[in-house]
Amino acid sequence: MTRFLANAAITIVAVTALAATPAAAVDIDFSAAALPGAGKVVMAVGEDGVLSGAAASADRQMGGALGRAVAAADFDGEAGSSLPLYGLAPYDAVLLVGVGKGLASGADVQDFGGTVAGQTAAWRGDVAVAVPDVEGLDDEAAHAALGARLGSYDFGKWGAAKTAGGGAKGADAAPKLIFHGPGEAAFAGDRRAIADGVAFARDLVSTPSNIKTPEWFAGQVESVFADVPRTSVRVLDVPEMQRLGMGALVGVGQGSARPPRLVAVRYDSPDYDGPPLAFVGKGITFDTGGISLKGGRGMWAMRGDMTGAATAMGAVMALANRGAAVDVIAVAALAENMPGGAAQRPGDVVTTMSGKTIEVLNTDAEGRLVLTDGVWWTQQTYDPRLVVSVATLTGAVISALGDDYAGVFTKDDDLAALFIDAGEVSGETLWRLPVHDNVFEDIKSDVADVKNVVEGGTPSASIGAAFIMSWAREDQPFVHLDIAGQDYTDTPRPTEPKGWTAFGVRLLDEVARRYETK
């Protein structure tokens, strides 16, 4: 079955539904005026506690009391640090946020906004925030507000009353942050869409896997995008995938009672005439490893093995809602990898949609399998300008890069540079890893065209990338992102509370901006 939906109202039977326009747990407003002379305020402090800008002005009005408080607390203004002060007349509360040597980018300002949201979460009422000036930016307040939206995200406890995309917090349980600085229009027309895309992706990943089946995921996408302008949704079920010859995607899901799906969302810009960008995400809604069963410790986290698919959907939502001047396709290759009686076995050979065959040596290397059919179908259906595969693919990339970078793989030096720069601008940083020609030799199989793993000591991050790249057409610009290690954080960051991060939504939005200008 193939379904085409173009902003149509549909009815979905589901245990729960996510919101089409997620709301944050913090209210946001803007002001062009100077900080008020009373109430609750937030100001930036530089390295070694140096007061400048709004903080210096306030200190003068307070007869030096602010500077004395900073010195008494030995507050050094390190970036991301904070110092709350109470009852320091004429203010009820003052939050000083360290910016170190100064903010240098939009990503820095987003971190500032996220820190503000985190440190004022227990406050009530209006909080005036002086947003520091950043050379080269003209919408600092929009970036700060985006950071606050991202940093205040809260999925909440399952079953509790949820605000849309913002967890269980009600409007009366959070402050209203009023950002003083330029950027109100930029937030309303642009940055808020990014925050909504990230929240939607985080909601998808955070949902427990007994709820989040491939069919449920498809239903959520249909429901949410029914309200997103200029988008259409296409869903392929098992009979349709079998008709198309998607033996790899169907094979991964055949051990589960919850059948696989392939979901595609298309956004058509009114201001673009050219082939679309395509984001193809790994969507393993739960990964036991299949017959090659994982160890039990930490397996709960495998509900996040569909982060690539969620990221692709969140990115196209952001681009559509901000009216990006580029066409975009987001594809989710969805399956649950279970060790049922019908599950594929190590040593099985499957035939993909392209006709190329795969020897499945390890059923726990399943993400690359579903992506082969997802990537090939996307190329054949849409003839895209660029294909990006996004996946929590390997533990090896975590060993190589830790939680500081995601891995980027491509044969194209210019594309590598574009993505790395987009990562720096967005705050979702990348490090290029190699795919040597020898790796393509290593994955050749004796009984099929390729094998999905190389047993032994060969670096599996490059093996995984080379395997997926083998389904990119010769003339197809192609980039693979291995985001394992970036999909979840135990340690809260300014724009990433503890939990699932939806890494890549901001990155892909920034990548798309590079094509809007071409």
Side-chain angles (χ1 to χ4, degrees):
M1 174 181 63
T2 304
R3 288 177 282 177
F4 291 90
L5 299 163
N7 302 331
I10 57 176
T11 301
I12 297 173
V13 177
V15 175
T16 188
L18 304 179
T21 53
V26 63
D27 196 7
I28 286 173
D29 205 348
F30 296 85
S31 175
L35 285 182
K40 303 179 183 73
V41 297
V42 179
M43 295 174 282
V45 175
E47 191 175 34
D48 298 325
V50 173
L51 304 181
S52 61
S57 177
D59 188 46
R60 288 191 295 270
Q61 295 176 23
M62 299 163 69
L66 189 60
R68 290 192 294 273
V70 169
D74 198 24
F75 184 59
D76 62 6
E78 180 182 354
S81 62
S82 61
L83 175 65
L85 302 167
Y86 300 96
L88 193 63
Y91 295 108
D92 299 325
V94 176
L95 177 69
L96 301 179
V97 176
V99 294
K101 295 182 179 180
L103 306 180
S105 67
D108 287 347
V109 184
Q110 290 169 31
D111 282 348
F112 171 81
T115 299
V116 170
Q119 295 302 311
T120 62
W123 291 10
R124 300 294 178 266
D126 291 354
V127 179
V129 183
V131 182
D133 292 332
V134 177
E135 185 176 357
L137 285 184
D138 57 8
D139 58 352
E140 290 94 338
H143 282 283
L146 170 58
R149 287 286 303 269
L150 296 174
S152 63
Y153 173 85
D154 178 16
F155 184 70
K157 292 185 183 296
W158 190 256
K162 264 177 68 72
T163 58
K169 295 180 180 179
D172 61 346
K176 180 178 184 180
L177 300 181
I178 303 172
F179 292 96
H180 289 249
E184 179 175 7
F187 180 74
D190 189 313
R191 304 294 164 179
R192 181 170 60 189
I194 299 173
D196 288 346
V198 172
F200 175 54
R202 287 176 178 173
D203 276 356
L204 286 170
V205 185
S206 300
T207 298
S209 289
N210 59 317
I211 307 297
K212 183 177 56 189
T213 66
E215 185 176 18
W216 179 91
F217 187 112
Q220 296 303 310
V221 170
E222 290 176 324
S223 179
V224 167
F225 280 93
D227 297 321
V228 179
R230 304 189 66 84
T231 64
S232 58
V233 179
R234 184 174 181 178
V235 179
L236 276 62
D237 64 7
V238 171
E240 178 69 359
M241 290 189 286
Q242 288 175 328
R243 186 187 68 80
L244 292 169
M246 294 185 178
L249 176 50
V250 172
V252 170
Q254 70 189 34
S256 172
R258 304 165 184 88
R261 293 287 186 271
L262 188 137
V263 179
V265 177
R266 177 166 190 149
Y267 162 66
D268 287 300
S269 170
D271 304 313
Y272 179 78
D273 183 19
L277 308 181
F279 309 143
V280 185
K282 171 187 173 182
I284 304 301
T285 56
F286 193 78
D287 182 21
T288 66
I291 298 298
S292 305
L293 193 67
K294 295 177 180 291
R297 184 176 181 180
M299 194 193 289
W300 64 268
M302 290 300 100
R303 78 165 181 251
D305 211 16
M306 37 62 68
T307 296
T311 290
M313 295 299 151
V316 75
M317 171 184 274
L319 292 164
N321 278 330
R322 73 172 178 81
V326 62
D327 292 354
V328 182
I329 309 296
V331 176
L334 303 163
E336 185 177 59
N337 189 23
M338 299 290 282
Q344 61 185 5
R345 297 154 291 262
D348 283 0
V349 174
V350 297
T351 303
T352 65
M353 180 182 173
S354 71
K356 190 177 295 186
T357 56
I358 302 169
E359 182 184 12
V360 182
L361 292 182
N362 189 319
T363 64
D364 194 24
E366 82 300 323
R368 65 199 68 181
L369 298 177
V370 301
L371 285 171
T372 61
D373 282 329
V375 165
W376 189 261
W377 179 83
T378 300
Q379 292 174 122
Q380 296 297 101
T381 305
Y382 300 107
D383 194 20
R385 181 175 183 176
L386 168 71
V387 174
V388 184
S389 64
V390 190
T392 49
L393 202 73
T394 67
V397 81
I398 304 174
S399 300
L401 303 177
D403 59 1
D404 296 313
Y405 300 93
V408 58
F409 301 81
T410 181
K411 297 178 182 178
D412 188 315
D413 293 342
D414 291 337
L415 275 177
L418 184 154
F419 271 74
I420 289 170
D421 184 65
E424 293 294 333
V425 171
S426 68
E428 296 188 318
T429 51
L430 303 174
W431 195 272
R432 189 180 186 183
L433 293 174
V435 184
H436 195 276
D437 287 346
N438 288 341
V439 180
F440 291 92
E441 291 296 317
D442 290 339
I443 62 175
K444 289 183 177 179
S445 167
D446 293 333
V447 299
D449 292 314
V450 293
K451 52 192 176 186
N452 72 330
V453 297
V454 175
E455 296 181 326
T458 305
S460 61
S462 295
I463 287 290
F467 185 90
I468 299 166
M469 285 180 180
S470 298
W471 271 262
R473 296 182 308 207
E474 189 66 31
D475 60 347
Q476 176 66 66
F478 185 84
V479 173
H480 169 62
L481 302 176
D482 192 338
I483 63 172
Q486 296 291 333
D487 58 320
Y488 185 90
T489 181
D490 274 316
T491 304
R493 302 166 183 165
T495 59
E496 295 176 343
K498 180 181 177 180
W500 306 101
T501 65
F503 180 95
V505 173
R506 287 182 286 167
L507 168 69
L508 293 177
D509 173 82
E510 184 60 36
V511 168
R513 290 173 193 268
R514 312 306 172 92
Y515 287 85
E516 289 183 82
T517 60
K518 293 182 180 181

